[in-house]
Amino acid sequence: MDIFPQSLKGHRVQLGADVEDGEVHWEPVRSLWFSAMALGASVGGALTFSWSAFALFVVTTAFVLLCGHSLGMHRKLIHDSFQCPKWLEYFLVYCGVLVGLSGPLGLLRTHDLRDYAQRQKACHDFFGHRRAPLVDACWQLHCELRLSRPPEILVEARVAADPVYRFLQKTWMLQQLPWALMFFAIGGWGWVFWGVCARVTAGVFGHWLIGYFAHRHGDQAHIVGGASVQGYNVPFAALLTMGECWHNNHHAFPGSAKLGLYKGEWDPGWWMLLALQRIGLAWNLKTPADLPVREELRYVRAVPGVNAGCGQA
Ligand SMILES: [Zn+2]
Ligand SMILES: [Zn+2]
């Protein structure tokens, strides 16, 4: 019998990679970047607070998380779960770069390696967020995992050969600079600390925090058979994460553009895609019904109208 499910065969990480044996090391660029932003946000932000700077933080954070991280980076670049004009794809991915996590290629590789590792029977604790919260925060925000035998990750030419994405990858930190200068010219240091430092800190820290909860606690509608790490839904974060918190659904249907699948699962990213579809700027929005059936997927609980007739776990 084949040891790998069909769904892993098209994965960018090449089959058979060892994702268990490795060591966690301090990663200076990631660590200093996050620390500098957090320092600017906490000290600079406290000293220069104004309601206009706070409003700038809220609006820009919501915008880059919704259009950039959720739509541009995750649902489009990584999963290609909907189609849109190329100029819009570039814009959305550029907004994703402004979140401050990484460049497009770096984020895609990190996402895919983690995704691949979580679907294996065993993987390093780093991939499963298995350690205590403080250790995991230190690992994910300041360190990197160096695998003993790093796997090959084949990124398709659509992304890897694209000059815009290569440029954004090389300059992802610098992309904050024009905005910092503009915010400084309009609102002084307060706008820089809140519009750049606090926004990047909230995006990067929030990404870790939700990632931690989404692999540790919460509601489950599905189980991915054979996977050492399962995803969980984190309902209280639906609006804050633009729908990315429905992570159990995402583990079950990674290629779906719709993350909030069931009643009451608010998904602002999906609402935005529907709005773009209505004005002709997005099409071929994939839902679980458009994806190949996964034999390894089991339903934990009956979901009316969705899994009638499917096997129960
Ligand atoms: Zn996951
Ligand atoms: Zn994903």
Side-chain angles (χ1 to χ4, degrees):
M1 192 185 126
D2 206 336
I3 57 166
F4 294 112
Q6 192 64 30
S7 62
L8 265 177
K9 293 193 175 143
H11 208 284
R12 295 183 183 108
V13 179
Q14 297 306 287
L15 284 180
D18 179 355
V19 286
E20 215 180 343
D21 190 25
E23 283 182 0
V24 178
H25 289 264
W26 183 58
E27 208 285 293
V29 175
R30 168 184 304 197
S31 178
L32 293 174
W33 170 253
F34 176 69
S35 302
M37 288 294 162
L39 191 70
S42 51
V43 179
L47 292 174
T48 59
F49 178 84
S50 70
W51 286 109
S52 73
F54 185 72
L56 180 72
F57 160 73
V58 172
V59 170
T60 56
T61 302
F63 189 81
V64 297
L65 289 182
L66 172 61
C67 296
H69 186 72
S70 185
L71 291 196
M73 289 288 205
H74 196 204
R75 303 189 207 209
K76 178 60 195 170
L77 187 80
I78 293 172
H79 290 291
D80 204 21
S81 64
F82 66 93
Q83 301 306 309
C84 66
K86 198 72 185 174
W87 64 263
L88 181 59
E89 178 182 324
Y90 284 148
F91 174 71
L92 296 174
V93 171
Y94 166 72
C95 293
V97 169
L98 292 179
V99 173
L101 278 165
S102 180
L105 294 160
L107 198 76
L108 181 144
R109 292 172 68 89
T110 306
H111 171 285
D112 271 45
L113 184 56
R114 184 178 299 274
D115 176 70
Y116 178 87
Q118 292 178 345
R119 296 199 213 180
Q120 306 303 305
K121 287 190 174 58
C123 67
H124 195 282
D125 285 351
F126 183 92
F127 293 124
H129 297 271
R130 290 195 194 98
R131 295 295 179 91
L134 271 180
V135 177
D136 194 55
C138 182
W139 276 9
Q140 310 289 342
L141 297 171
H142 298 280
C143 301
E144 65 175 0
L145 173 66
R146 290 189 201 147
L147 288 167
S148 307
R149 288 174 291 282
E152 209 181 336
I153 305 176
L154 293 181
V155 181
E156 63 275 30
R158 167 182 76 88
V159 180
D162 189 301
V164 174
Y165 295 147
R166 292 165 80 104
F167 173 74
L168 287 174
Q169 182 60 38
K170 279 193 197 128
T171 60
W172 66 270
M173 284 190 240
L174 280 174
Q175 295 301 329
Q176 303 293 340
L177 195 60
W179 293 98
L181 292 172
M182 192 177 79
F183 291 159
F184 183 75
I186 299 170
W189 282 110
W191 273 40
V192 177
F193 288 132
W194 284 92
V196 177
C197 300
R199 170 174 53 74
V200 170
T201 304
V204 175
F205 187 81
H207 183 260
W208 163 71
L209 191 65
I210 295 300
Y212 179 80
F213 282 117
H215 296 100
R216 298 286 299 242
H217 308 281
D219 168 65
Q220 281 183 303
H222 331 84
I223 297 273
V224 179
S228 58
V229 182
Q230 301 292 328
Y232 297 86
N233 292 329
V234 189
F236 74 86
L239 294 180
L240 286 173
T241 62
M242 306 300 166
E244 293 289 323
C245 69
W246 306 113
H247 203 62
N248 179 262
N249 301 348
H250 185 55
H251 273 227
F253 307 106
S256 171
K258 188 179 188 186
L259 299 178
L261 297 177
Y262 309 122
K263 201 165 180 283
E265 293 183 348
W266 290 0
D267 184 355
W270 176 249
W271 302 338
M272 184 74 178
L273 279 176
L274 290 179
L276 288 172
Q277 180 175 249
R278 181 164 283 227
I279 57 174
L281 288 178
W283 57 92
N284 287 353
L285 277 53
K286 286 187 197 149
T287 66
D290 304 311
L291 304 174
V293 172
R294 293 178 72 180
E295 284 165 12
E296 71 275 29
L297 195 65
R298 305 198 309 267
Y299 289 84
V300 176
R301 55 180 160 78
V303 183
V306 176
N307 61 348
C310 291
Q312 299 286 302

